[in-house]
Amino acid sequence: MKKLINDPNQVVTEMLEGIVSAYPESMKRVEGTTCIVRKDAPVKDKVALVSGGGSGHEPAHAGFVGQGMLDAAVAGEVFTSPTPDQVLEGIKAVDGGEGVLLVIKNYTGDVMNFEMAAELAEAEGINVEKVVVNDDVAVEDSSFTTGRRGVAGTVFVHKLAGAKAEAGGSLLEVKEVAEKVIANVRSMGVALSPCIMPTSGEPGFELAEDEVEMGVGIHGEPGIEKKKLVTANEIAKELTEKVLPELELDRSVEVAVMVNGMGATPEMELYVVNRKIQAILSEKGVQVHETFIGEYMTSLEMAGCSLTVLKLDDELKELLDSRSKAPAFRK
Amino acid sequence: MKKLINDPNQVVTEMLEGIVSAYPESMKRVEGTTCIVRKDAPVKDKVALVSGGGSGHEPAHAGFVGQGMLDAAVAGEVFTSPTPDQVLEGIKAVDGGEGVLLVIKNYTGDVMNFEMAAELAEAEGINVEKVVVNDDVAVEDSSFTTGRRGVAGTVFVHKLAGAKAEAGGSLLEVKEVAEKVIANVRSMGVALSPCIMPTSGEPGFELAEDEVEMGVGIHGEPGIEKKKLVTANEIAKELTEKVLPELELDRSVEVAVMVNGMGATPEMELYVVNRKIQAILSEKGVQVHETFIGEYMTSLEMAGCSLTVLKLDDELKELLDSRSKAPAFRK
Amino acid sequence: MELDVRQTVDWMVKANEKVQEQKDYLSQLDRAIGDGDHGINMARGFQEIANTLPNEEFEEVSDVLKKTATIVMSKVGGASGPLYGTAFLKMSMESKGSNVDGETFEKMVGAAVEGLKQRGKAKEGEKTMIDVWSPVLDVLKEVSEINGEKIREAAHTAMEATKDMVATKGRAAYLKERSKDHLDPGSVSSYYLFEALAETLEKG
Amino acid sequence: MELDVRQTVDWMVKANEKVQEQKDYLSQLDRAIGDGDHGINMARGFQEIANTLPNEEFEEVSDVLKKTATIVMSKVGGASGPLYGTAFLKMSMESKGSNVDGETFEKMVGAAVEGLKQRGKAKEGEKTMIDVWSPVLDVLKEVSEINGEKIREAAHTAMEATKDMVATKGRAAYLKERSKDHLDPGSVSSYYLFEALAETLEKG
Ligand SMILES: Nc1ncnc2c1ncn2[C@@H]1O[C@H](COP(=O)(O)OP(=O)(O)O)[C@@H](O)[C@H]1O
Ligand SMILES: Nc1ncnc2c1ncn2[C@@H]1O[C@H](COP(=O)(O)OP(=O)(O)O)[C@@H](O)[C@H]1O
Ligand SMILES: [Mg+2]
Ligand SMILES: [Mg+2]
Ligand SMILES: [Mg+2]
Ligand SMILES: [Mg+2]
């Protein structure tokens, strides 16, 4: 294991200190917690957005804290949901009296810990609502399972619901926007090489020199299948074909596209993949309103990428375009 | 070699197509060339900024094309300076009548190719000035050698000179800003793992499992020394100690800091490194005006990072803070 | 035979020893069908428990379990944190004010199983730790004592049985059929917990 | 003995064959003290030359060299592109309107060396391709013919001699003392160019 760290057991704390010291104008740490909140939190009379999850997905989630996006990001250990007491601290630090929306990615651990935090917050008289993001089409929905995972589409939920809150929306209005985004966003990823947890020093999974994992999760969880490495065009095609159908796009529709690097992917490769994605979309007559390329929801040093497509309407477009001062999503 | 590409020989062309199709609102390709220019180029009565260099440093250079930064980015093959005819195409496409500033990184190849392009452009009646960026302190200056390399500090040259041009500065004023930035910016990098050229499929250099290359160049060129991997704190300390002295910072001075990922570095690690850098700066009483963390000047999938420090005065601060619509440097 | 305060503390300390010993193994199991952190999560939480409990005074078993629950909730994280936290909290609540004899212990584990099911929205046969806790409850219903040997046996058999199950809850559910032929990490750590209990009871 | 149009085309075609054969070796040399692309750069440029020259009509040697220079300039890139481009351009300019006999060829290489020095702001002994071109010029000054064997010999010795030099120009200069004990890639490709010339002259 070759990492630029000091102590595997201190990596989350030190990372949080590193983020806050990078962006002191935008954010601050809630003393003694793993919560990073807006510099001006709590913002009086504004609905607050709280998200978070395991660490290792940087810039998610703290990079999205700032005016126009999140009020708080609660960090867990690497790939491990934060605990209810920490989430509660985040909620309390940002509640400005108009209530708090929790944005949760659909993992059993995250759902349970955030739910428990919501119960605790409500017991303290804070008005809490929650949404669960489940944009990953790799793992099919079924009434027998826990449902789809939440991945990079979560970033759009932060952005658009955050914009709605900034614009003065009520808790239910902000929640409605979040749910509309969730209903209209789909993602899928592919891995070329695994990530290595700092504490164990072990790769999360194995891939042969000529293999990729299609549909990989953001913790390196196995996806649909291991298959032979094919060209960027074929991978772009497969991702697009999986992501698009449920969105039922027709020629009149506009979308936002995110090609997200998983951590170790050269940006050059993201552009090569994007080229084919855009070609396919344009062939289908889908209008791309805006494209985002870069690292938004990573998995440590995993190599690979994910595609996220968000179907837009006029309301969502306006919310996407509005200003954000979050360091990792400036608009 | 495991890369998300189609054909190693087509990777630059396909990447350029992928960038332009991602940001059609900001930029366009000059047909039949490797030049990407502002969507509204040539901008009448504005000094134009042209930069570029070998590919493999994405988002540099095309990601910095946009209002407030570059007018044109000319791409060469991977790690190979673009040829004079291409640079000339870029110059011609963006000249708005007020002249063109070439921002060149100090590599023999870049300097010669851009110089030849400047000669050709002048022969066509275009007013061309050039600056050579040489911020890398790893390789010491000496009258016997070619001088220092140009690395991530170049991004600040783009930003600040670009802002000056946008604000209506004359060619000489814009050049003066660029030279002021060059005089006040220093960088150094470290590599944990090498990059792999798409065409050869070979790692650019070798590092043992417990080694790092201090002072590595952005093409994987050897730096100061190979040494045992130490903690992030020690690396941050070494980079800072090398970068700071020449800037002659005292307590009244403000700086901008860039912690740049080389391509495969998890963002988590950049924050851990930043933590120590900020601690050292604060100990020295240096005021940090703004910090930039992320990928700005990469080396394909090299793991590691570089530190860039820019000493600011009021003029430079204002130029840094002004708006930019370049996709990879939004302000 | 009753479980007293000292024994309950011993139980948790022993559970921690096992978790520390098997930390890498638990993570390895989780790497196969999850995200590879179960050993790390459990080790972080139980280390804190073992550091804390022996240095505190407790009135009754319920208090030990409450403290344990609090630490687990705030240190383990992930899915297993709230689940083990809930289990210990329910056991604490169920034993409040009572001596812990066979009957009480059966009720305590019964409450824990209920808590796990509610918190995890899961039931038996879904390849989760419930598949160890529930068979242990069954065996407690059959005997009147807190029979360590029987508990260990039941937990062991149940843990092994998770190998043949297809996960439909938790992270492993994403794998569907591919989750088969692997032990469920949470069931293995639950087995260690009950093994630690059996050893504590043996020691007396 | 004079160099005619056909031979000049043959020369470049043969140079390309050598560059293609040695592409990986040249890149490997460049990996040691540069950025590893010299073989790739040269192969890209010379392939285009070999594809183009045989299909075009040329009046005189100067035209072949001019075309070569143009292709090199726009295809090779890096440091070697403008350098080789300049060398060929100067040779073309120097031979314009003349038959290429020994005297003319000496003047052509002389102009090339001047061009290289100006373009590269370099001189002999700095571990660059100049350290092959300049000794070749020396030998041309000694003989009146274009003596292939002597050219090859001089180029070979000169190329080997770059091993002991410390680079003070080009990318390898960043390595300072560490650049020693490695051949200079551009000197090796220059040797291939002169070796190709010698073989062309032998074939007649
Ligand atoms: N819904 C659930 N109900 C009961 N137990 C569950 C549920 N989801 C997961 N588990 C248990 O939690 C274990 C995984 O814990 P851990 O790896 O620590 O958390 P995470 O899955 O969040 O990484 C599984 O092996 C399983 O026994
Ligand atoms: N200033 C210079 N003057 C003369 N030759 C040079 C100079 N700089 C580099 N070279 C030659 O160019 C060769 C490197 O070419 P190449 O690898 O293609 O370009 P780059 O160094 O830009 O990657 C060196 O081996 C050397 O012979
Ligand atoms: Mg986990
Ligand atoms: Mg090069
Ligand atoms: Mg796990
Ligand atoms: Mg080279």
Side-chain angles (χ1 to χ4, degrees):
Chain A
M1 183 181 61
K2 221 170 185 181
K3 286 184 189 281
L4 272 176
I5 59 175
N6 295 302
D7 173 354
N9 295 309
Q10 293 303 315
V11 75
V12 172
T13 314
E14 295 192 352
M15 171 192 77
L16 294 174
E17 289 171 14
I19 298 180
V20 172
S21 65
Y23 311 120
E25 308 294 309
S26 314
M27 53 181 76
K28 62 187 179 195
R29 178 109 172 256
V30 182
E31 195 84 34
T33 73
T34 61
C35 304
I36 287 181
V37 300
R38 266 173 70 155
K39 181 63 171 285
D40 53 355
V43 184
K44 195 105 194 75
D45 300 330
K46 187 187 85 70
V47 169
L49 251 76
V50 175
S51 188
S55 294
H57 306 301
E58 293 67 33
H61 299 83
F64 303 124
V65 170
Q67 199 183 316
M69 261 176 113
L70 295 182
D71 293 82
V74 189
E77 292 295 322
V78 176
F79 292 172
T80 301
S81 164
T83 53
D85 54 317
Q86 295 297 314
V87 180
L88 177 63
E89 294 289 343
I91 294 172
K92 291 200 299 196
V94 299
D95 176 38
E98 291 297 312
V100 178
L101 180 69
L102 302 186
V103 181
I104 312 170
K105 291 195 286 336
N106 192 29
Y107 297 96
T108 314
D110 289 68
V111 172
M112 289 192 296
N113 284 289
F114 277 76
E115 261 175 10
M116 287 170 81
E119 289 164 18
L120 296 169
E122 271 159 8
E124 300 199 18
I126 302 174
N127 200 1
V128 178
E129 290 286 339
K130 32 187 210 299
V131 293
V132 178
V133 188
N134 60 350
D135 54 319
D136 188 348
V137 299
V139 181
E140 269 163 53
D141 210 346
S142 136
S143 47
F144 299 111
T145 71
T146 25
R148 287 170 166 174
R149 304 174 295 208
V151 292
T154 313
V155 179
F156 284 131
V157 180
H158 296 163
K159 173 67 185 79
L160 280 71
K164 185 72 185 177
E166 206 67 49
S170 71
L171 181 55
L172 289 184
E173 285 167 346
V174 173
K175 184 181 178 184
E176 232 168 64
V177 165
E179 282 179 337
K180 196 179 190 183
V181 175
I182 292 169
N184 288 290
V185 69
R186 296 291 184 278
S187 302
M188 190 162 111
V190 59
L192 272 70
S193 73
C195 44
I196 297 166
M197 301 251 293
T199 32
S200 73
E202 295 284 331
F205 57 105
E206 317 245 296
L207 276 177
E209 190 39 53
D210 62 345
E211 269 180 352
V212 301
E213 178 83 40
M214 287 305 300
V216 73
I218 56 170
H219 311 90
E221 307 101 307
I224 298 171
E225 51 163 353
K226 280 195 179 33
K227 52 181 268 182
K228 290 258 174 274
L229 174 64
V230 289
T231 62
N233 282 351
E234 284 170 82
I235 285 183
K237 192 155 169 274
E238 193 165 337
L239 294 179
T240 317
E241 275 170 3
K242 279 281 201 176
V243 163
L244 290 190
E246 280 185 44
L247 293 174
E248 297 179 3
L249 303 173
D250 51 45
R251 291 189 163 259
S252 59
V253 156
E254 287 187 62
V255 298
V257 172
M258 177 179 282
V259 182
N260 170 58
M262 291 297 207
T265 322
E267 210 157 306
M268 168 183 268
E269 299 178 20
L270 298 181
Y271 290 123
V272 172
V273 171
N274 177 60
R275 170 181 169 273
K276 183 66 180 180
I277 290 168
Q278 301 285 342
I280 295 170
L281 289 172
S282 130
E283 216 170 82
K284 291 190 192 295
V286 177
Q287 305 281 318
V288 178
H289 175 69
E290 188 166 0
T291 302
F292 299 85
I293 304 208
E295 298 189 339
Y296 293 93
M297 181 71 73
T298 62
S299 306
L300 296 169
E301 66 276 83
M302 193 192 285
C305 68
S306 65
L307 165 65
T308 298
V309 178
L310 169 64
K311 184 172 163 180
L312 296 167
D313 61 13
D314 288 343
E315 184 194 16
L316 296 185
K317 231 158 61 179
E318 199 188 312
L319 293 168
L320 179 60
D321 294 347
S322 68
R323 283 216 80 172
S324 151
K325 297 209 173 160
F329 204 102
R330 285 191 212 274
K331 292 260 340 175
Chain B
M1 183 181 61
K2 221 171 182 179
K3 286 184 188 283
L4 271 175
I5 59 174
N6 295 302
D7 173 354
N9 295 311
Q10 293 303 316
V11 75
V12 172
T13 313
E14 295 192 352
M15 173 192 76
L16 294 174
E17 289 171 13
I19 298 180
V20 171
S21 66
Y23 311 120
E25 309 294 309
S26 314
M27 53 181 75
K28 63 187 179 194
R29 177 109 173 255
V30 182
E31 196 84 35
T33 74
T34 61
C35 305
I36 287 182
V37 300
R38 266 173 71 155
K39 181 63 173 284
D40 54 354
V43 183
K44 195 109 194 69
D45 300 331
K46 187 187 85 71
V47 170
L49 251 76
V50 174
S51 188
S55 295
H57 306 301
E58 293 66 32
H61 299 83
F64 303 124
V65 171
Q67 198 183 316
M69 263 177 110
L70 296 181
D71 293 82
V74 189
E77 292 294 322
V78 176
F79 291 172
T80 300
S81 163
T83 54
D85 54 317
Q86 295 297 314
V87 180
L88 177 64
E89 294 289 344
I91 294 171
K92 291 200 298 195
V94 299
D95 176 40
E98 290 298 313
V100 177
L101 180 69
L102 302 186
V103 181
I104 311 170
K105 290 195 287 335
N106 192 28
Y107 296 96
T108 313
D110 290 69
V111 172
M112 289 193 297
N113 284 289
F114 277 78
E115 261 175 8
M116 288 171 80
E119 290 163 17
L120 296 169
E122 270 158 7
E124 300 198 17
I126 303 175
N127 200 0
V128 178
E129 290 286 340
K130 34 188 209 299
V131 293
V132 178
V133 189
N134 59 349
D135 54 320
D136 189 348
V137 299
V139 180
E140 269 161 54
D141 211 344
S142 138
S143 49
F144 299 111
T145 70
T146 23
R148 287 170 165 173
R149 303 174 296 207
V151 291
T154 312
V155 179
F156 284 131
V157 180
H158 296 163
K159 173 65 185 77
L160 280 71
K164 186 72 185 175
E166 204 68 47
S170 71
L171 181 54
L172 288 185
E173 285 167 346
V174 173
K175 185 182 177 186
E176 233 168 64
V177 166
E179 282 179 338
K180 195 179 192 183
V181 175
I182 292 169
N184 288 288
V185 70
R186 295 292 184 278
S187 303
M188 190 162 111
V190 59
L192 273 70
S193 74
C195 44
I196 297 167
M197 301 250 295
T199 31
S200 73
E202 295 283 332
F205 57 105
E206 317 246 298
L207 275 177
E209 189 39 54
D210 61 345
E211 271 180 351
V212 301
E213 179 83 39
M214 287 304 301
V216 73
I218 56 170
H219 312 90
E221 306 101 309
I224 299 171
E225 51 162 354
K226 277 193 180 35
K227 52 181 270 182
K228 291 257 174 276
L229 174 63
V230 289
T231 62
N233 282 352
E234 284 170 81
I235 285 183
K237 193 157 169 273
E238 192 163 339
L239 295 179
T240 316
E241 275 170 3
K242 279 282 198 175
V243 164
L244 290 189
E246 280 186 45
L247 293 174
E248 297 179 4
L249 303 173
D250 52 44
R251 292 187 164 258
S252 58
V253 155
E254 289 186 61
V255 299
V257 172
M258 178 179 280
V259 183
N260 170 57
M262 290 296 207
T265 322
E267 213 158 305
M268 167 184 269
E269 299 179 20
L270 298 181
Y271 290 124
V272 172
V273 171
N274 177 60
R275 171 181 168 274
K276 182 67 178 178
I277 290 168
Q278 300 286 341
I280 295 170
L281 290 171
S282 133
E283 218 169 79
K284 292 191 190 297
V286 176
Q287 304 281 319
V288 179
H289 175 67
E290 189 167 358
T291 302
F292 300 85
I293 304 207
E295 299 189 337
Y296 294 92
M297 183 69 74
T298 62
S299 307
L300 296 171
E301 67 275 84
M302 194 193 283
C305 68
S306 65
L307 166 65
T308 298
V309 178
L310 168 65
K311 184 171 162 182
L312 297 167
D313 61 12
D314 288 344
E315 184 195 17
L316 296 186
K317 231 156 62 177
E318 199 188 313
L319 292 167
L320 179 60
D321 293 347
S322 68
R323 284 217 79 170
S324 151
K325 297 210 173 161
F329 205 101
R330 285 190 211 276
K331 292 263 335 176
Chain C
M1 195 188 152
E2 292 189 356
L3 195 70
D4 62 22
V5 164
R6 186 191 48 75
Q7 282 179 312
T8 311
V9 171
D10 284 357
W11 173 18
M12 293 304 148
V13 169
K14 202 175 279 298
N16 176 53
E17 281 164 18
K18 291 186 186 294
V19 164
Q20 299 302 335
E21 263 165 37
Q22 305 295 334
K23 179 177 159 182
D24 290 345
Y25 173 60
L26 289 172
S27 290
Q28 192 187 313
L29 292 174
D30 197 31
R31 260 202 299 285
I33 57 171
D35 60 351
D37 60 357
H38 188 59
I40 298 165
N41 293 344
M42 292 297 285
R44 188 174 48 239
F46 274 81
Q47 187 60 59
E48 183 77 12
I49 289 166
N51 291 348
T52 307
L53 298 189
N55 303 315
E56 300 210 358
E57 297 287 317
F58 298 101
E59 292 253 322
E60 50 173 27
V61 169
S62 172
D63 298 332
V64 184
L65 292 169
K66 185 155 178 224
K67 186 79 199 176
T68 303
T70 318
I71 297 174
V72 166
M73 291 267 204
S74 68
K75 285 285 164 191
V76 175
S80 51
L83 288 164
Y84 275 114
T86 301
F88 289 124
L89 195 64
K90 294 289 176 182
M91 287 170 81
S92 163
M93 283 157 67
E94 198 62 36
S95 58
K96 188 141 196 77
S98 336
N99 286 351
V100 179
D101 58 11
E103 199 181 331
T104 307
F105 194 70
E106 181 199 318
K107 279 198 212 138
M108 286 160 64
V109 175
V113 170
E114 272 321 294
L116 286 175
K117 288 181 178 176
Q118 268 176 32
R119 183 56 69 199
K121 301 193 179 75
K123 55 183 195 305
E124 288 84 2
E126 300 194 296
K127 197 175 183 119
T128 72
M129 58 176 73
I130 293 170
D131 292 311
V132 165
W133 284 76
S134 190
V136 166
L137 175 60
D138 291 343
V139 91
L140 288 172
K141 282 182 180 161
E142 283 165 24
V143 294
S144 53
E145 285 267 293
I146 316 180
N147 184 325
E149 199 35 57
K150 294 230 155 157
I151 290 173
R152 190 215 317 256
E153 234 183 77
H156 192 268
T157 313
M159 166 198 85
E160 300 247 283
T162 63
K163 202 164 192 165
D164 298 327
M165 298 179 183
V166 173
T168 48
K169 286 286 147 55
R171 236 177 250 284
Y174 303 127
L175 284 179
K176 297 189 195 155
E177 282 295 325
R178 284 161 86 187
S179 68
K180 248 183 130 167
D181 294 330
H182 295 279
L183 288 171
D184 169 56
S187 296
V188 176
S189 60
S190 293
Y191 164 68
Y192 294 143
L193 185 74
F194 290 115
E195 193 187 34
L197 173 63
E199 289 173 16
T200 306
L201 292 170
E202 269 159 31
K203 236 189 65 193
Chain D
M1 196 188 152
E2 293 189 356
L3 195 69
D4 62 22
V5 164
R6 186 191 47 75
Q7 281 177 313
T8 312
V9 171
D10 285 356
W11 174 19
M12 292 305 148
V13 169
K14 202 176 281 297
N16 176 54
E17 281 164 18
K18 292 187 186 292
V19 164
Q20 299 302 335
E21 262 165 38
Q22 305 296 335
K23 177 178 161 183
D24 290 345
Y25 173 61
L26 289 172
S27 289
Q28 192 187 313
L29 292 174
D30 197 30
R31 261 203 299 286
I33 58 170
D35 60 352
D37 60 356
H38 188 58
I40 298 165
N41 294 344
M42 292 297 285
R44 187 174 48 241
F46 274 82
Q47 187 60 59
E48 183 76 13
I49 290 166
N51 291 348
T52 308
L53 299 189
N55 303 316
E56 300 210 356
E57 298 287 317
F58 297 99
E59 291 255 323
E60 51 174 25
V61 170
S62 172
D63 298 333
V64 183
L65 292 169
K66 181 150 182 233
K67 185 81 198 174
T68 304
T70 318
I71 296 174
V72 165
M73 291 268 206
S74 68
K75 286 283 163 193
V76 174
S80 51
L83 288 164
Y84 275 115
T86 300
F88 289 124
L89 195 64
K90 294 287 176 185
M91 288 170 79
S92 162
M93 283 158 68
E94 197 62 39
S95 57
K96 188 138 196 81
S98 337
N99 286 352
V100 178
D101 58 12
E103 198 180 333
T104 307
F105 194 69
E106 182 199 316
K107 279 197 212 138
M108 287 160 64
V109 174
V113 170
E114 273 320 295
L116 285 175
K117 288 182 178 176
Q118 267 176 33
R119 183 57 69 201
K121 301 191 179 73
K123 55 183 195 305
E124 287 84 2
E126 299 194 296
K127 197 176 182 115
T128 72
M129 58 177 72
I130 292 169
D131 292 311
V132 166
W133 283 76
S134 190
V136 166
L137 175 60
D138 291 343
V139 92
L140 288 172
K141 284 181 179 161
E142 284 165 23
V143 295
S144 55
E145 285 266 294
I146 315 180
N147 184 324
E149 198 36 55
K150 296 230 156 159
I151 290 173
R152 189 213 321 252
E153 235 183 74
H156 191 266
T157 314
M159 165 197 86
E160 299 247 285
T162 63
K163 202 164 191 164
D164 298 327
M165 297 178 184
V166 173
T168 49
K169 287 284 147 57
R171 237 177 251 284
Y174 303 127
L175 284 180
K176 299 190 192 158
E177 282 295 324
R178 285 162 84 186
S179 67
K180 248 185 130 167
D181 294 331
H182 295 279
L183 290 169
D184 169 57
S187 297
V188 176
S189 60
S190 293
Y191 164 68
Y192 295 143
L193 184 73
F194 290 114
E195 192 188 34
L197 173 63
E199 289 173 15
T200 306
L201 292 170
E202 268 159 33
K203 236 190 66 196

